[in-house]
């Protein structure tokens, strides 16, 4: 059975139960853009097998960002080109091995596969934006500002009205804030909404979960903006009370925000802790695209 779903002309998604991950494939006349490579070499080989249902053309790969569930299958795709923002390659070089060890410790059942999967950063890097030519159609790779990480790249398929958003948008679960810049994230999603408006109605394929529309993105922007605003507003009072900028957000705030959003505590705790650190100036200067 063909596990792919064609969501627009020659634009496919494949959803995997593992981490509810959504992988993209955009087919051109000369090559196929594969968006993200999954968590291990074993998983990536399964993806390569699946891709034969889509096309036999050569691949070109995009890493939307450096989190291991999006990049640790890279080596299975070599020798093809792998594209990513400069920050993606830097993150993988600086932190990839340590992160791989951390995840292996957290997921003993997957540890052998993880540790057998090389950290293989993108070899084709760019700052801010780049256009890939697939033969008869183009895909625009765009960095719109910090959000889920400091190097999230979207892939726009203009002739199909589809945007692959990586983990800047997440469906089925709250977004993940472990490496996030919560104070910048709403503006970054605002730029994504502008792109969608300029293109007319569009579909947004998230890094995890089902394809969503503009209204979903706008609602998620609102949720993240609520957390960012709470962090920004609370920081002066927390500073006066001796709170460490890098410390964990106070549990009463976490509980309030989690109740308001209807989210579990963990992502709220990460979001507020990172947001407070950012409000305190502890996460570097914002990048303006
Ligand atoms: Zn991620």
């Amino acid at each position: 059975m063909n596990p792919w779903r064609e969501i627009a002309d020659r634009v496919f998604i494949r959803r995997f139960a593992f981490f509810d991950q959504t992988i993209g494939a955009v087919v051109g006349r000369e090559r196929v853009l594969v968006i993200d490579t999954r968590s291990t070499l074993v998983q990536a080989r399964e993806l390569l097998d699946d891709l034969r249902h889509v096309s036999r053309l050569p691949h070109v790969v995009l890493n939307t960002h450096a989190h291991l569930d999006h990049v640790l299958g890279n080596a299975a795709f070599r020798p093809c080109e792998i594209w990513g923002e400069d920050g993606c390659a830097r993150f993988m070089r600086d932190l990839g091995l340590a992160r791989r060890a951390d995840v292996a410790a957290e997921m003993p059942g997957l540890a052998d596969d993880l540790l057998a999967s090389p950290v293989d950063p993108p070899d084709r890097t760019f700052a801010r934006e780049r256009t890939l030519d697939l033969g008869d159609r183009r895909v625009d790779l765009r960095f719109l500002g910090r959000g889920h990480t400091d190097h999230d790249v979207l892939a726009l398929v203009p002739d199909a009205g589809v945007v692959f958003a990586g983990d800047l948008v997440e469906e089925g679960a709250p977004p993940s804030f472990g490496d996030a810049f919560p104070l910048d994230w709403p503006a970054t999603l605002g730029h994504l909404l502008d792109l969608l408006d300029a293109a007319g109605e569009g579909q947004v394929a998230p890094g995890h979960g089902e394809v969503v529309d503009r209204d979903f993105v706008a609602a998620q922007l609102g949720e993240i903006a609520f957390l960012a605003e709470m962090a920004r507003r609370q920081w002066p009072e927390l500073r006066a009370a001796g709170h460490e900028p890098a410390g964990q957000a106070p549990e009463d705030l976490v509980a309030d925000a989690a109740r308001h959003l209807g989210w579990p505590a963990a992502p709220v705790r990460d979001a507020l802790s990172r947001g407070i650190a950012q409000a305190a100036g502890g996460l570097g200067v914002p990048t303006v695209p």
Side-chain angles (χ1 to χ4, degrees):
M1 200 188 83
N2 183 350
W4 296 85
R5 198 169 91 227
E6 189 170 11
I7 60 170
D9 177 34
R10 292 171 297 147
V11 179
F12 298 84
I13 61 160
R14 163 79 162 103
R15 294 185 62 189
F16 291 92
F18 183 84
F19 281 2
D20 195 16
Q21 187 158 40
T22 303
I23 299 290
V26 183
V27 180
R29 195 177 55 220
E30 288 165 15
R31 51 187 187 164
V32 179
L33 173 64
V34 181
I35 296 158
D36 289 334
T37 63
R38 308 192 68 205
S39 299
T40 67
L41 278 183
V42 171
Q43 291 187 358
R45 289 190 190 114
E46 186 190 352
L47 172 60
L48 277 164
D49 263 358
D50 285 349
L51 280 163
R52 288 185 305 201
H53 290 284
V54 164
S55 169
R56 298 270 179 177
L57 289 170
H59 302 136
V60 53
V61 167
L62 169 68
N63 290 153
T64 57
H65 64 293
H67 286 156
L68 296 189
D69 51 323
H70 299 260
V71 303
L72 222 45
N74 280 1
F77 282 82
R78 295 299 189 183
C80 90
E81 294 172 4
I82 297 182
W83 290 81
E85 217 269 344
D86 289 336
C88 176
R90 193 163 50 239
F91 187 108
M92 285 180 74
R93 281 195 300 269
D94 293 350
L95 297 173
L97 288 173
R99 287 292 177 94
R100 192 181 67 174
D102 290 347
V103 180
E106 286 162 18
M107 304 185 73
L110 201 65
D112 287 349
D113 285 353
L114 282 164
L115 297 173
S117 305
V119 174
D120 184 359
D123 56 305
R124 304 297 174 104
T125 58
F126 59 96
R128 307 295 159 90
E129 56 184 86
R130 180 62 63 113
T131 295
L132 295 183
D133 183 358
L134 303 181
D136 58 341
R137 74 195 315 186
R138 68 169 216 271
V139 178
D140 297 325
L141 313 181
R142 301 282 296 275
F143 170 77
L144 299 180
R146 301 194 299 193
H148 172 70
T149 67
D150 63 2
H151 57 265
D152 306 284
V153 168
L154 301 124
L156 279 81
V157 193
D159 66 22
V162 173
V163 179
F164 288 90
D167 289 359
L168 279 173
V169 176
E170 182 152 351
E171 192 277 335
S176 156
F177 290 90
D179 291 310
F181 294 83
L183 304 197
D184 296 349
W185 198 336
T188 302
L189 288 181
H191 294 315
L192 170 55
L193 292 178
D194 291 345
L195 283 177
L196 292 171
D197 289 343
E201 252 333 273
Q203 302 184 82
V204 177
H208 304 269
E210 186 50 89
V211 175
V212 299
D213 61 10
R214 184 196 190 285
D215 289 350
F216 181 95
V217 176
Q220 196 150 80
L221 185 164
E223 292 171 328
I224 296 169
F226 169 81
L227 292 163
E229 190 49 35
M230 187 179 235
R232 197 184 275 117
R233 266 212 324 268
Q234 291 292 329
W235 167 240
E237 200 177 305
L238 290 169
R239 179 177 50 199
H243 181 84
E244 284 295 319
Q248 209 164 80
E251 279 306 308
D252 55 333
L253 282 188
V254 172
D256 273 359
R259 195 164 39 241
H260 175 84
L261 294 170
W263 289 9
V268 173
R269 188 177 297 114
D270 284 349
L272 289 176
S273 301
R274 293 280 297 183
I276 289 163
Q278 227 192 323
L283 295 178
V285 284
T287 50
V288 180

